[in-house]
């Protein structure tokens, strides 16, 4: 796996370097070709002007009517300079590059036409080979003839094709260098990656570009570590919670099965076995509920229902009323039937889950209250226009340091009385998950002068 990654990185880096080098070389070639062409063009134009003036001066200073004399004067031009002598009607009298008799009439040539009208003219024409162009300059002589001088030069493509072999050699060399450099850079990069301690990525001496990636890796490790610790704690707590009723059930069942229980004790033992079995079922049901809430992405939960907090609070309180009376706790719902109709607090969510949330909060408030205590349930809209559900009790209260821990699975503030109060220790964990699914915030505060206030604030 490591070797394959290194090859892939080396290939990628080498290709990137080769592309960059190729682009740079091509741009340099274009710039160089254009610069060379501009220089050659200016030099050729200057030479054509110089040759034209020199030849015209020589012809005008001689016997301008004797064509033979003029031809001899024109022969002083270098071999690469084309010299053409043209009559006023466009007929070619003399050309040092071709037989004058075979040439067409030049009266339509731009430089010739301008010379006949203004005394001088110039033009540039590309040859059929597409790699050369000729610069012409023509002047009107004293005898009425036109003298035209031309020099052929490489055009922009001709210059480019001239340097093409050098360009190909540079590109081949650059490709070889890029492959070697790419492999070297890749090896160095992979070596740095191999040196990173993924258990402590932020302590590694790595390029700053990798810091965001390593930061995410570290955050993920922290989350995984926390989840692992939470899983181990959950497994331990679940085992402990299930072990107690199993021990009771096993012990009493063994007494009955072995004939060691007195006949008059058997009904009491059966009631205890049944109570512990019910408690185990409640734990299993809550564990399944938590599992489903945590995996809500695969559940078909409708969060678009209009849910009346006031109505759910009234209905849920009726379900807990008998348990509250049994524990001598006064349960008050601070919402009248008229208020449900006129001042109802409605949120968007899932009615079943909200009902479960309210039920767990009220049951906890009743279960962990004092004899003769009081529980008040209220739904309202606060000053910030948040829909709020408030459950307050007059129980023993929750210390500030433990207000976040009470939402952990199986956590109880008072473990000594947990068996007497009942419950599975999962109620507030379920409340927290339901609140999170609805984007709600849970606050835990003191209830003056005694007890605790749970407030769930739903989004606007």
């Amino acid at each position: 796996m490591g070797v394959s990654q290194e090859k892939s990185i080396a290939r990628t880096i080498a290709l990137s370097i080769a592309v960059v080098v190729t682009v740079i070389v091509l741009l340099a070639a274009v710039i160089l070709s254009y610069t060379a062409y501009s220089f050659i063009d200016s030099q050729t134009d200057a030479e054509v002007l110089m040759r034209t003036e020199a030849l015209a001066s020589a012809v005008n200073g001689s016997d301008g009517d004797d064509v033979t004399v003029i031809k001899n004067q024109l022969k002083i031009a270098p071999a690469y300079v084309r010299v053409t002598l043209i009559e006023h009607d466009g007929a070619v009298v003399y050309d040092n590059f071709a037989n004058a008799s075979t040439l067409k009439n030049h009266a339509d040539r731009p430089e010739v036409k301008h010379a006949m009208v203004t005394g001088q003219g110039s033009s540039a024409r590309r040859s059929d080979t597409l790699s050369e162009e000729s610069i012409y300059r023509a002047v009107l002589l004293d005898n009425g003839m036109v003298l035209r001088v031309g020099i052929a030069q490489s055009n922009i493509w001709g210059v480019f094709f001239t340097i093409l072999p050098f360009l190909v050699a540079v590109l081949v060399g650059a490709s070889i260098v890029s492959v070697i450099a790419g492999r070297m850079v890749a090896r160095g990069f992979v070596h740095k990656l191999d040196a990173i301690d993924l258990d402590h990525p932020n302590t590694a001496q790595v390029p700053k570009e990798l810091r965001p990636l390593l930061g995410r890796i570290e955050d993920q490790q922290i989350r995984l570590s926390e989840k692992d610790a939470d899983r181990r704690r959950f497994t331990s707590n679940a085992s402990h919670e299930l072990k107690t009723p199993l021990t009771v059930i096993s012990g009493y069942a063994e007494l009955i099965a072995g004939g060691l229980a007195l006949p008059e004790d058997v009904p009491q033992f059966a009631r205890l076995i049944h109570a512990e079995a019910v408690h185990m079922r409640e734990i299993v049901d809550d564990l399944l509920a938590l599992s489903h809430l945590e995996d809500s992405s695969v559940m078909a939960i409708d969060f678009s229902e209009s849910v009346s907090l006031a109505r759910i609070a009234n209905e849920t309180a009726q379900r807990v009323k008998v348990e509250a009376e049994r524990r001598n706790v006064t349960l008050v719902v601070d919402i009248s039937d008229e208020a449900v109709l006129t001042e109802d607090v409605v949120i968007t969510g899932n009615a079943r889950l909200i009902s479960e949330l309210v039920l767990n909060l009220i049951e906890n408030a009743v279960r962990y209250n004092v004899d003769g205590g009081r529980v008040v349930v209220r739904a309202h809209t606060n000053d910030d226009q948040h829909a709020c559900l408030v459950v307050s009790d007059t129980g023993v209260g929750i210390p500030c340091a433990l207000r976040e821990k009470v939402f952990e699975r199986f956590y109880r503030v008072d473990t000594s009385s947990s068996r007497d109060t009942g419950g599975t220790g999962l109620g507030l964990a379920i409340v927290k998950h339901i609140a999170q699914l609805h984007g709600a915030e849970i606050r835990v505060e003191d209830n003056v002068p005694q007890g605790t206030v749970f407030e769930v604030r739903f989004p606007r």
Side-chain angles (χ1 to χ4, degrees):
M1 179 65 72
V3 174
S4 176
Q5 289 175 346
E6 184 177 354
K7 286 183 178 179
S8 177
I9 292 173
R11 191 180 301 113
T12 301
I13 294 176
L15 179 60
S16 300
I17 294 175
V19 169
V20 171
V21 170
T22 301
V23 171
I24 292 175
V25 171
L26 289 175
L27 286 176
V30 171
I31 294 173
L32 180 62
S33 299
Y34 180 78
T35 303
Y37 167 75
S38 299
F39 176 77
I40 294 171
D41 185 65
S42 63
Q43 293 295 312
T44 303
D45 191 60
E47 184 177 1
V48 169
L49 176 61
M50 182 268 293
R51 298 290 181 185
T52 303
E53 291 177 348
L55 291 173
S57 178
V59 171
N60 287 330
S62 65
D63 187 358
D65 295 329
D66 191 339
V67 176
T68 303
V69 174
I70 294 175
K71 290 180 180 180
N72 290 330
Q73 292 289 344
L74 296 179
K75 289 181 180 179
I76 64 173
Y80 62 88
V81 178
R82 184 173 186 175
V83 181
T84 308
L85 186 63
I86 305 165
E87 289 281 5
H88 64 277
D89 60 354
V92 178
V93 177
Y94 170 78
D95 190 288
N96 63 342
F97 274 29
N99 187 344
S101 61
T102 62
L103 296 177
K104 295 179 181 179
N105 190 285
H106 279 30
D108 61 341
R109 302 297 169 92
E111 66 278 5
V112 176
K113 291 171 63 176
H114 289 157
M116 289 181 176
V117 176
T118 63
Q120 61 179 357
S122 62
S123 67
R125 285 192 291 277
R126 180 178 297 176
S127 67
D128 295 336
T129 62
L130 298 181
S131 62
E132 283 188 349
E133 66 179 7
S134 297
I135 297 177
Y136 294 100
R137 182 171 291 274
V139 295
L140 185 64
L141 298 176
D142 294 341
N143 59 9
M145 292 183 178
V146 174
L147 173 66
R148 189 187 70 172
V149 176
I151 296 179
Q153 67 169 20
S154 296
N155 61 17
I156 185 73
W157 291 108
V159 175
F160 178 79
F161 288 129
T162 300
I163 65 172
L164 185 60
F166 171 75
L167 177 62
V168 172
V170 170
L171 286 177
V172 171
S175 299
I176 296 173
V177 171
S178 63
V179 171
I180 297 173
R183 290 188 176 277
M184 293 177 63
V185 172
R187 287 195 184 98
F189 181 71
V190 172
H191 179 72
K192 286 185 177 181
L193 292 180
D194 290 339
I196 295 175
D197 181 6
L198 293 180
D199 292 329
H200 307 89
N202 266 341
T203 61
Q205 297 297 321
V206 296
K208 64 179 181 180
E209 291 81 5
L210 292 179
R211 289 291 178 182
L213 172 62
L214 295 179
R216 291 196 295 272
I217 291 175
E218 187 173 38
D219 291 341
Q220 186 180 38
Q221 286 179 339
I222 292 173
R223 289 196 297 270
L224 290 175
S225 178
E226 291 174 349
K227 285 185 178 180
D228 187 57
D230 188 48
R231 180 187 57 78
R232 290 197 300 269
R233 185 166 54 251
F234 167 73
T235 302
S236 175
N237 291 337
S239 299
H240 176 74
E241 291 291 329
L242 292 172
K243 184 177 181 180
T244 302
L246 280 174
T247 300
V248 174
I249 292 172
S250 176
Y252 285 122
E254 188 177 357
L255 289 176
I256 294 174
L260 301 178
L262 298 175
E264 59 270 22
D265 292 333
V266 171
Q268 176 64 18
F269 289 171
R271 283 192 294 273
L272 290 173
I273 291 173
H274 177 262
E276 295 298 334
V278 169
H279 183 59
M280 284 184 61
R281 186 183 65 190
E282 290 174 348
I283 293 176
V284 172
D285 288 343
D286 283 348
L287 286 174
L288 289 174
L290 266 177
S291 176
H292 290 159
L293 289 173
E294 290 176 346
D295 198 19
S296 60
S297 59
V298 299
M299 296 174 59
I301 299 179
D302 183 8
F303 288 97
S304 62
E305 301 172 351
S306 292
V307 183
S308 166
L309 290 181
R311 190 177 301 279
I312 285 183
N314 274 323
E315 293 174 353
T316 306
Q318 292 301 316
R319 296 167 59 187
V320 188
K321 186 176 181 180
V322 174
E323 178 67 14
E325 291 174 351
R326 187 180 72 82
R327 293 178 181 270
N328 193 25
V329 174
T330 302
L331 177 57
V332 178
V333 180
D334 189 14
I335 305 168
S336 64
D337 291 337
E338 291 78 10
V340 170
L341 298 175
T342 61
E343 301 177 8
D344 198 0
V345 180
V346 179
I347 64 171
T348 301
N350 183 271
R352 180 181 63 80
L353 293 182
I354 295 298
S355 179
E356 183 75 12
L357 178 147
V358 177
L359 177 63
N360 278 288
L361 286 177
I362 296 178
E363 283 185 339
N364 259 33
V366 170
R367 186 177 292 122
Y368 294 101
N369 217 313
V370 295
D371 186 41
R374 180 182 176 87
V375 174
V376 179
V377 183
R378 189 163 63 98
H380 71 284
T381 302
N382 67 8
D383 295 338
D384 295 331
Q385 299 304 306
H386 289 277
C388 299
L389 174 76
V390 180
V391 179
S392 59
D393 63 64
T394 57
V396 295
I398 302 174
C400 290
L402 302 179
R403 288 176 184 174
E404 288 298 324
K405 297 181 72 66
V406 294
F407 295 103
E408 295 178 3
R409 301 161 183 165
F410 299 114
Y411 185 84
R412 293 186 177 90
V413 176
D414 186 4
T415 56
S416 62
S417 60
S418 60
R419 297 293 299 171
D420 298 329
T421 57
T424 62
L426 297 170
L428 289 180
I430 293 175
V431 167
K432 180 179 179 180
H433 277 81
I434 294 175
Q436 288 176 338
L437 289 175
H438 286 81
E441 175 189 3
I442 303 179
R443 295 188 177 186
V444 184
E445 299 175 351
D446 290 326
N447 186 24
V448 181
Q450 176 183 327
T452 306
V453 177
F454 282 86
E455 180 184 37
V456 183
R457 293 188 180 183
F458 293 90
R460 296 178 183 178

